[in-house]
Amino acid sequence: GAGVSQSPRYKVAKRGQDVALRCDPISGHVSLFWYQQALGQGPEFLTYFQNEAQLDKSGLPSDRFFAERPEGSVSTLKIQRTQQEDSAVYLCASSLFRGQSDGEQYFGPGTRLTVT
Amino acid sequence: GNSVTQMEGPVTLSEEAFLTINCTYTATGYPSLFWYVQYPGEGLQLLLKATKADDKGSNKGFEATYRKETTSFHLEKGSVQVSDSAVYFCALSGIGNYKLTFGKGTLLTVNP
């Protein structure tokens, strides 16, 4: 079956522009996660959804970052007034179950955002 | 807070060599431990996991043992193949905590 898909795969934005990154999780997966991966680093947690509810947004670096999952399926990560430090790969992951600490997360290919 | 420290790369081996990638962690209690792998051009994939002390996770010839006494989860493979060339990430999630905390990743290149 289809895995997690993300679009666009690459995005170049001028500083100050708004961007929207899309994630299509595996059908039926309850949990959805966003991570940010800077060059040469491991992914870092941004936010977590259980169905349509955003239960944890503690990793969002500033109020310019906003995520939603209105129907409990597709999710969008929006970054307003992009800054150069926002340049990174944004990873989406989904998981079948609700917030299990040992549950497998299935990752998408990521969106590489470059802010110029 | 939780943290993961893994061996810095890059690591370059010849085919059939023995592989070890070290991983140590800091966490309260008994976290779940994972190794994820990222092949060129692909997304992160779970390679193996262990959820309690002394558990051994294994998959595709790779193994890692959850060592509580040394807070370690080292990845090993007895005989690597060219197709094992990838970036390997050690990760943990705390008790009742779904967030994954990752190490920085180790790039492995296997030459024929």
Side-chain angles (χ1 to χ4, degrees), chain A residues 9 33 35 37 40-45 48 55-56 58 91 99-109, chain B residues 32 34 36 38 41-46 49 51 89 93-105:
Chain A
R9 291 292 310 277
F33 308 81
Y35 292 85
Q37 185 176 17
Q41 304 295 314
E44 292 194 356
F45 172 81
Y48 163 65
L55 299 187
D56 187 340
S58 62
L91 298 172
Q100 286 181 280
S101 61
D102 61 350
E104 179 173 356
Q105 295 184 22
Y106 295 82
F107 283 81
Chain B
S32 294
F34 306 83
Y36 277 80
Q38 186 169 34
E42 299 183 17
L44 282 164
Q45 302 173 24
L46 179 65
K49 70 179 185 183
T51 58
F89 292 91
S93 62
I95 299 170
N97 189 336
Y98 37 77
K99 304 177 200 181
L100 288 171
T101 299
F102 287 88
K104 292 186 177 183

